[in-house]
Amino acid sequence: MVHADPPRPTPAVLARLFVGAGADIILGGRRVVPARLTQAGYEFIHPDLHGAVQACAQDG
């Protein structure tokens, strides 16, 4: 496993300078819910990030 320092808070001004308009997405964060897929009956193998990361760690 690679050990890295946790990400540090980035000042909004710097993020907007380097990323531009996309900085608002990075700074504000988004919770994306696949409503159409779940309404259609699709079931995810790993519905949350924690489960997906654990599965990747076990496979590696």
Side-chain angles (χ1 to χ4, degrees):
M1 180 173 207
V2 176
H3 295 283
D5 292 332
R8 296 181 184 175
T10 304
V13 173
L14 289 177
R16 286 188 179 94
L17 177 68
F18 289 107
V19 181
D24 290 333
I25 294 171
I26 295 169
L27 295 170
R30 297 286 185 256
R31 173 142 172 85
V32 178
V33 179
R36 287 188 181 182
L37 288 174
T38 53
Q39 287 172 357
Y42 185 85
E43 293 183 25
F44 289 89
I45 295 171
H46 306 290
D48 59 25
L49 180 62
H50 181 72
V53 170
Q54 281 188 330
C56 288
Q58 290 174 356
D59 291 342

